[in-house]
Amino acid sequence: MRAADLLERRAVISGVGQSAIGRRLDRSGLQLTLDAVLAAIGDAGLTVDDIDGLAMFPGGGAANLPGYAAGDLYEVQDALRITTTWRQGLVEGMALPFYGAAQAVATGQARHAVVWRTVKEGSAARAAGGRPAYGSTKPAAEGPLAWLLPVGMLSPVVQLAPYATRYMHEYGVTREQLAWIPLTQRAHAALNPDAVYRSPLTLDDYLGARMISTPMCLYDCDVPVDGATAIVVSAAETAPDLRAPVRVEAMAGVVEGRPAWEQWEDMGRVGHGAARAMWARTDLRPGDVDVAQLYDGFTIEAVWWLEAMGFCATGEAGAFVDGGERIALDGELPLNTWGGQLSGGRLHAAFGHTAEAVRQLRGEAGGRQVAGARVAAVTSVGGIEAGAALLTGW
């Protein structure tokens, strides 16, 4: 297939915007959503009247846990008086924040589509006296939970801990090595005024932290927050009218094997299908990537993506990140330069990662700017919801 025929080449990310981000904010989910959406539209150099596509993740309001979703599609459309030609709301299947919107503008269903993700998990967790496991909120074990809850797999951290255990056993990777992912990302967060946690984090702090689900400790887990992120995706032909568009070079969302965490066949390899499909859609190679915004709901997910994307071989991520030099801002592959979800906050589904990638490619990342960044990798989740993309400067 010719590059010009790829649908993602007919789409650009034209704007990104975020609300305030904090552990607990005195603003509703709708207010946070509108803050982010209006900021993203302004960032693109557009007005509300230019928007004809709307999408949110997840669709349908609350899902899984209190605070997990906010900013209803219909409320936002009504509040902003937008006339839409395309809308989308997904609970499952969003491989990347901009995936559906890119398809919409590439096929002429919309010219400028805004997609957002809003969470109030920080407030919800405090109101509940802690962050409840989503399995504990269900009256009955149904669907996939019927196989998970009886063995105590109540939450994502418990579900993914066996993956981390298996990976570390199979490849001889240590906690001392993997600690450098949260340690380095905390150093990046110190340069991000919007990050939730900015104080220094040491190796002793990490090793002394309480275990959440062995071998993953507190600092291996993302931080529940209140906040919203919005992204405007525009038809590439509108680029001359936009403030600072970013190209979507390649994207893919491929799920290999059965779509269930407990049935995944190779617990040491996750995300490889999506990465392989993405690289097939571009002439760029891993060595061309200047900055990597890799999903880090848990440290092990960043590990998966380092290997799946070909930045190091399978089983070598521990050695790759050891000491932090290679993933630092001036290193071989600056990783999650905004602090990621481990320190910046759980903005979820690669929304925060995408916003940071756009800012880095524009040279708008302030004190954490990576010099000469022209190619950014963005990945989302992994396993049953894997997505990978390359963004490039205009």
Side-chain angles (χ1 to χ4, degrees):
M1 180 182 295
R2 296 183 307 152
D5 295 329
L6 296 174
L7 71 87
E8 54 263 60
R9 306 294 178 83
R10 299 196 292 273
V12 297
I13 295 178
S14 56
V16 294
Q18 291 180 303
S19 69
I21 299 166
R23 291 286 274 157
R24 186 173 186 176
L25 300 177
D26 188 21
R27 289 181 71 74
S28 70
L30 176 59
Q31 289 172 320
L32 294 173
T33 301
L34 293 176
D35 290 345
V37 167
L38 291 173
I41 293 171
D43 182 65
L46 300 171
T47 70
V48 170
D49 290 339
D50 294 313
I51 303 300
D52 54 5
L54 293 175
M56 66 175 292
F57 174 84
N64 287 336
L65 283 173
Y68 181 81
D72 182 86
L73 187 72
Y74 300 108
E75 291 179 327
V76 171
Q77 180 171 357
D78 190 47
L80 299 179
R81 299 295 193 270
I82 292 174
T83 298
T84 57
T85 58
W86 176 82
R87 290 186 301 183
Q88 182 182 68
L90 292 174
V91 175
E92 301 141 337
M94 180 177 278
L96 294 158
F98 46 86
Y99 204 97
Q103 292 174 324
V105 301
T107 55
Q109 298 177 72
R111 295 274 283 175
H112 304 286
V114 60
V115 55
W116 66 87
R117 175 76 173 100
T118 303
V119 290
K120 287 279 291 181
E121 290 186 286
S123 289
R126 293 196 178 194
R131 192 180 188 186
Y134 66 61
S136 68
T137 68
K138 306 295 183 181
E142 299 176 336
L145 291 178
W147 303 100
L148 299 175
L149 300 191
V151 294
M153 287 191 167
L154 300 173
S155 65
V157 65
V158 180
Q159 292 168 19
L160 296 193
Y163 283 76
T165 298
R166 177 63 191 178
Y167 174 87
M168 295 169 71
H169 168 77
E170 186 167 351
Y171 299 113
V173 175
T174 67
R175 292 188 66 225
E176 286 81 359
Q177 290 177 310
L178 298 187
W180 286 99
I181 293 177
L183 264 61
T184 305
Q185 291 186 190
R186 179 64 67 87
H188 296 166
L191 302 173
N192 176 9
D194 296 320
V196 175
Y197 288 136
R198 303 178 63 200
S199 58
L201 181 66
T202 69
L203 183 59
D204 286 341
D205 292 333
Y206 174 88
L207 295 175
R210 62 185 173 92
M211 279 289 170
I212 305 301
S213 186
T214 304
M216 295 197 289
C217 72
L218 178 67
Y219 296 118
D220 289 310
C221 303
D222 58 14
V223 184
V225 297
D226 295 355
T229 304
I231 301 166
V232 180
V233 181
S234 300
E237 64 196 50
T238 70
D241 302 322
L242 302 170
R243 185 184 73 82
V246 166
R247 298 181 192 273
V248 183
E249 169 70 18
M251 63 182 189
V254 175
V255 175
E256 299 174 293
R258 298 179 65 180
W261 285 112
E262 80 281 2
Q263 298 297 330
W264 203 258
E265 293 182 359
D266 188 343
M267 299 174 75
R269 291 168 55 86
V270 179
H272 287 253
R276 186 167 53 249
M278 186 213 69
W279 288 119
R281 300 175 72 83
T282 178
D283 292 330
L284 296 176
R285 300 271 69 94
D288 296 314
V289 175
D290 300 307
V291 61
Q293 310 298 338
L294 307 183
Y295 192 79
D296 60 333
F298 304 102
T299 298
I300 188 62
E301 291 180 285
V303 168
W304 291 337
W305 281 117
L306 284 168
E307 297 180 355
M309 292 288 282
F311 299 128
C312 60
T314 300
E316 294 183 359
F320 186 87
V321 304
D322 197 4
E325 293 89 355
R326 289 171 121 174
I327 56 174
L329 292 179
D330 59 353
E332 175 183 331
L333 185 73
L335 175 66
N336 291 336
T337 51
W338 56 294
Q341 298 192 145
L342 300 179
S343 288
R346 175 184 156 85
L347 299 172
H348 201 226
F351 276 79
H353 299 80
T354 301
E356 178 69 6
V358 170
R359 290 169 179 147
Q360 287 285 343
L361 294 175
R362 289 173 168 175
E364 298 174 352
R368 63 188 187 277
Q369 179 64 49
V370 174
R374 296 291 299 165
V375 180
V378 177
T379 64
S380 184
V381 192
I384 64 175
E385 296 172 306
L390 292 182
L391 305 181
T392 62
W394 191 259

